[in-house]
Amino acid sequence: MRLPVRKLRPMAFLFLLSIGLGITAGRAAAQKRVSIGVTETIETLNPYGDSVSLLYGIWSEITGPFCTYNYDKGDFEGRLAERWKVENPTTWVFYLNKNYKFNDGTPVTADDVVHSMMNRVIKDPQSKQKASVAGPIVKAEAIDKHTVKFTTDKPTAPLLGFVCDRFIVTSKAMFDKYGRDVADKEHMMGAGPYRLKELIPGQRLVIAKRPDHPEAKRNPRAPDEIVYRVMRETEQRVAALLNNEIQIAQFIPPHLRQRVEQSPNLKITATDSVEIMFLAMQPKPPFDKKEVRQAVCHAINRDQIISTLLEGFASRLDGPIGPGQYGYDPNLKPKLSYDPERSKKLLAQAGFSKGVDAALQTPVGRYTLDKQLTEAMIPMLNAAGFRAKLLTPEWPTLWAGVQKGTVPFYYMGRGSVQDPSAALHQYFHSGETPRIGYSNPKLDELLDKEQAEFDPKKRRQYLSQAMSILTEDAPACFMWRHKLLWGLNRGIDYKPLPDARIFGMDIKVVKK
Amino acid sequence: MASYLVHRLIGTIPVLLLISLLVFLLIHAAPGDPTLLLLGEETNAAEVAQAKARWGLDQPLYIQYFKFLKSAAVGDFGKSFKYSEPVTRVIQSRLPATIELAIFSIIIATVLAIPLGVWAGSRPNSWLDNLGTTFGLFGISMPSFWLAIMLILLMAGVLNILPSSGRSTYGIAGLEQSGFYILDSIIQQNWKGVWDALTHIFMPALALGVNMLGILMRVTRSAVLEVMNEEYVTTARAKGLREKNVIWRHVTSNALIPVITVVGLELGTLLSGSIIVETVFAWPGSGSLLITALNARDYPLVTGLVMTYTAAFVVINLVIDGLYAVIDPRIRY
């Protein structure tokens, strides 16, 4: 029997039309839904089960940020903890905002904060945030229903850098009633402006706005729903942005910027990252000699790399940190600027007038154009008298080597440097980590002093002196901070944050 | 047949043991430390030591291996370092996505490759044969990750007719029951969901299946060419059968044995290929899970996944052996 093709055609047309209308209807229903293409994978419903910048931001939206760093003001400001005071150098008291309520309407109390810090962050074996969030905190106790005391094991002036935008507060009652796993999976009770709606590990996470939340009133045009979609490939994020699958795309590499800008519906916005990029040198031969380390710093033409490969989307660093970061000193000296002739002289002074081997290791695909940028450094190093070569181990291998102190020369980034204290201690203070293995008693003394100094003016002075020593002694050459490019739909008004956290309350839907 | 299968199953035990030993040794020998990768940038020595003790990494390797074997014997691969959940549960949650993708890849590959191969083989050196052979060569030589990116650029970026990644659109997919989105949507009569799932699966399935398509097409062509010279084909023609019947009933059915063998072998390639394709398309299956596990040096999860893949290979080969008897009645075990 032959099929009546002619008769079927109108039916097929109607069928396709109905599907098309259905899809269009689906899109119209989600007018204030914003999808964001993100690069980190989202894998677990345990808010304490990962230690990744993006996830700290997302969970803070769901459970309510404890406190946050305001980049415009250059200071920390209260959220769930509306204010705080330093009772003595090892005791901090935080006063909770009484208007913060969990999804079920119960208020957030000091017991929830203590439970979250002690049971979830510090003591839970599943927690991966103990060092990052609790840091020096050894005890949390409730003073009254809305006041909490944190005790640290040593005076820690930059404590807010550990807890703000990171410390996640979840419901003690739910934990007690259902146990950790069921509470996280089925009764995620947060006090943030959004609530968790769906998580498909490795694919997407969806949060929905709580219109009655105090934060939600601050920005009525914030999206009703936010879909974080895992998109690791840059081409994929650009394609999804072009066809309006997503309205915000994280981290567009400079060479794809034009494709986004050519679309009338899209725009690119750039923001200075707080991630500092540097070349680290273990003080072992040949880098045990200061002259060799300084020669590396003088050999790299950072301005040329920024203007060509990075198309201007980076800011040169003349010290460990740049403008907008706590303790930045525009008059910091010395400046190890591009001077290959000086490099040659320094190498000769160090006894390497005939050149010296240097194997630079870099991750591939972890940082913006990391391989291409380090490839460009090799001829520059060679022109200055090194016999340089580039090695590109896979990230887990390189990272394990760096953390064990077995990589002599590497290109690396350190993120979340609003306040440089933790990063400087981690990489340059004697005995803290073997990542560089550098030791300088004078620097140690200054770093210890700044950490224990609660007077901001004096602390800045100590930091500035420490950073001056670092730049001069050059255990690392500080390269640049990338300007992170975000692709945005023109219907969205959003100013990305330098630490790449994404807060739904910062997004405005301006066009339906 | 039953005794043959039992013998084959017993024979797989040493294979599984050897694979488990190899995977265990290789993943532990690989540079990188799960504690350093999973505990965040600010972790310290004390926290690392605690994690090592908790995960049993402070014990000698042979003790770790025997503990693993003991629990694996009862289907327990331990707890994932990254997910803090039993490995079997994590794999179970991701496997349906990979199976669904593999099924679609096979469908795309076989539906296109067998007719193309038969047409090409039955008309050697014709324009159809040349076209088919070129197409087959294209499929074999095309790296799946490159094709995947090109498909995204073309179908999602330029033509805007397919979604760039993921498995479903939020708000359209219904409740997850079996883990197979298309099946779930059909059961729930969510036709919009079916269409959505099909649009999402098409590009990754094509990227994954093109290589298999090329190989299958060439194998089918060779098999058909060989069978075309058999005497029973000449006899069929001499009986006055129409050429279409000769080719599809007598030639194709006899040429299918090597094709099925290749399908079986290629299923393994499909599983390994899915690791790349799933990552590119953010497909939440076991392939992308393996990449995540490897990057985190999540030893139990990596071992569990590789053992699952190995078991799948064994089962597939058994099924293929069984299929021989179904297709060719002369084969008996």
Side-chain angles (χ1 to χ4, degrees), chain B residues 164-182:
Chain B
S164 63
S165 67
R167 209 178 159 204
S168 63
T169 305
Y170 170 69
I172 292 178
L175 278 176
E176 199 176 317
Q177 290 169 325
S178 64
F180 297 91
Y181 278 15
I182 296 170

Side-chain angles (χ1 to χ4, degrees), chain A residues 74-251:
Chain A
D75 205 355
F76 293 97
E77 64 181 28
R79 285 288 186 271
L80 170 59
E82 60 183 358
R83 61 197 166 85
W84 48 83
K85 71 171 183 186
V86 183
E87 201 168 78
N88 63 55
T90 56
T91 309
W92 290 64
V93 177
F94 291 88
Y95 301 93
L96 304 186
N97 184 330
K98 291 171 186 165
N99 294 324
Y100 270 66
K101 291 187 173 113
F102 287 118
N103 304 346
D104 63 353
T106 55
V108 185
T109 65
D111 284 343
D112 297 305
V113 176
V114 172
H115 155 78
S116 300
M117 180 57 80
M118 297 309 294
N119 297 335
R120 302 299 313 260
V121 175
I122 295 178
K123 290 181 187 164
D124 186 352
Q126 287 193 7
S127 164
K128 305 216 169 57
Q129 300 174 354
K130 191 179 166 189
S132 316
V133 176
I137 297 169
V138 287
K139 195 174 171 191
E141 49 195 321
I143 295 176
D144 61 36
K145 200 177 172 188
H146 291 102
T147 313
V148 188
K149 186 164 83 177
F150 287 167
T151 308
T152 58
D153 59 357
K154 59 183 175 185
T156 310
L159 184 76
L160 294 175
F162 287 89
V163 291
C164 290
D165 294 321
R166 287 189 183 179
F167 179 35
I168 293 158
V169 177
T170 46
S171 164
K172 180 177 185 294
M174 290 297 138
F175 182 90
D176 290 344
K177 190 173 177 184
Y178 297 105
R180 180 192 59 202
D181 295 345
V182 177
D184 286 349
K185 282 183 187 154
E186 294 169 25
H187 305 278
M188 173 46 65
M189 208 54 76
Y194 282 84
R195 64 185 169 80
L196 179 68
K197 209 165 173 193
E198 181 186 80
L199 169 66
I200 301 179
Q203 191 180 182
R204 66 170 173 254
L205 181 141
V206 185
I207 56 176
K209 191 165 73 177
R210 293 173 59 195
D212 56 332
H213 193 277
E215 283 290 301
K217 287 167 192 160
R218 186 168 61 90
N219 174 17
R221 284 191 293 178
D224 295 330
E225 285 182 333
I226 302 177
V227 183
Y228 296 91
R229 289 183 56 182
V230 180
M231 295 183 163
R232 286 175 161 178
E233 298 290 330
T234 49
E235 294 284 0
Q236 191 180 45
R237 293 197 295 282
V238 171
L241 196 62
L242 287 167
N243 69 13
N244 202 26
E245 270 182 77
I246 57 173
Q247 289 72 46
I248 300 177
Q250 261 193 325
F251 311 150

Side-chain angles (χ1 to χ4, degrees), chain A residues 224-485:
Chain A
D224 295 330
E225 285 182 333
I226 302 177
V227 183
Y228 296 91
R229 289 183 56 182
V230 180
M231 295 183 163
R232 286 175 161 178
E233 298 290 330
T234 49
E235 294 284 0
Q236 191 180 45
R237 293 197 295 282
V238 171
L241 196 62
L242 287 167
N243 69 13
N244 202 26
E245 270 182 77
I246 57 173
Q247 289 72 46
I248 300 177
Q250 261 193 325
F251 311 150
I252 305 290
H255 66 279
L256 291 178
R257 174 179 56 97
Q258 279 188 335
R259 263 185 52 210
V260 175
E261 284 179 332
Q262 277 165 1
S263 165
N265 300 324
L266 303 176
K267 59 185 174 185
I268 285 279
T269 182
T271 186
D272 277 316
S273 163
V274 285
E275 186 166 47
I276 53 171
M277 306 303 302
F278 55 91
L279 294 178
M281 290 163 276
Q282 284 264 350
K284 294 171 188 166
F287 301 111
D288 54 336
K289 295 187 174 169
K290 185 170 82 175
E291 291 84 0
V292 178
R293 300 197 298 265
Q294 287 181 335
V296 170
C297 302
H298 283 299
I300 310 294
N301 190 341
R302 288 167 289 164
D303 290 335
Q304 191 186 49
I305 290 177
I306 291 170
S307 63
T308 53
L309 283 168
L310 290 169
E311 299 183 24
F313 290 106
S315 316
R316 193 185 72 209
L317 282 175
D318 287 321
I321 55 171
Q325 290 169 300
Y326 185 86
Y328 171 67
D329 179 1
N331 302 314
L332 191 81
K333 282 182 180 154
K335 289 185 177 17
L336 303 185
S337 50
Y338 175 59
D339 187 351
E341 291 309 312
R342 175 116 183 91
S343 291
K344 283 179 189 165
K345 281 180 194 161
L346 285 164
L347 280 184
Q349 276 176 35
F352 297 116
S353 52
K354 289 183 180 170
V356 60
D357 293 324
L360 174 62
Q361 299 199 29
T362 181
V364 179
R366 185 169 181 85
Y367 306 112
T368 304
L369 298 177
D370 42 19
K371 185 166 173 270
Q372 292 87 335
L373 299 179
T374 43
E375 273 172 350
M377 290 178 202
I378 297 300
M380 291 178 182
L381 287 166
N382 289 338
F386 288 90
R387 289 187 296 272
K389 64 177 177 183
L390 188 65
L391 303 176
T392 54
E394 57 145 5
W395 172 250
T397 306
L398 175 62
W399 185 231
V402 167
Q403 289 196 305
K404 286 177 180 164
T406 56
V407 185
F409 185 28
Y410 57 91
Y411 177 65
M412 189 59 58
R414 173 59 163 86
S416 305
V417 187
Q418 293 102 341
D419 181 321
S421 179
L424 296 181
H425 275 261
Q426 193 176 46
Y427 276 89
F428 304 108
H429 191 290
S430 307
E432 292 238 354
T433 69
R435 292 180 191 185
I436 293 186
Y438 173 74
S439 179
N440 183 334
K442 205 173 164 192
L443 178 79
D444 293 348
E445 190 190 330
L446 283 164
L447 288 177
D448 289 340
K449 274 186 178 171
E450 67 81 14
Q451 199 170 54
E453 181 55 66
F454 287 82
D455 176 353
K457 198 177 166 190
K458 282 187 186 167
R459 197 171 158 243
R460 280 174 184 272
Q461 280 174 357
Y462 291 138
L463 274 172
S464 179
Q465 287 168 25
M467 289 192 281
S468 178
I469 289 175
L470 270 178
T471 314
E472 204 273 329
D473 215 20
C477 297
F478 300 98
M479 296 281 113
W480 42 68
R481 290 188 303 164
H482 289 289
K483 281 185 196 294
L484 299 177
L485 303 184

Side-chain angles (χ1 to χ4, degrees), chain B residues 238-260:
Chain B
K239 278 165 66 183
L241 282 178
R242 288 170 65 187
E243 186 66 11
K244 205 160 50 175
N245 285 348
V246 172
I247 287 171
W248 289 106
R249 282 188 59 187
H250 295 272
V251 175
T252 307
S253 59
N254 284 294
L256 274 183
I257 291 277
V259 175
I260 287 169

Side-chain angles (χ1 to χ4, degrees), chain B residues 86 163 229 272 303:
Chain B
N229 297 323
S272 57
T303 318

Side-chain angles (χ1 to χ4, degrees), chain A residues 52-74:
Chain A
V52 178
S53 180
L54 172 78
L55 291 177
Y56 280 126
I58 293 176
W59 284 113
S60 286
E61 284 289 77
I62 297 165
T63 63
F66 192 62
C67 46
T68 192
Y69 187 78
N70 185 323
Y71 283 93
D72 293 332
K73 292 181 185 166

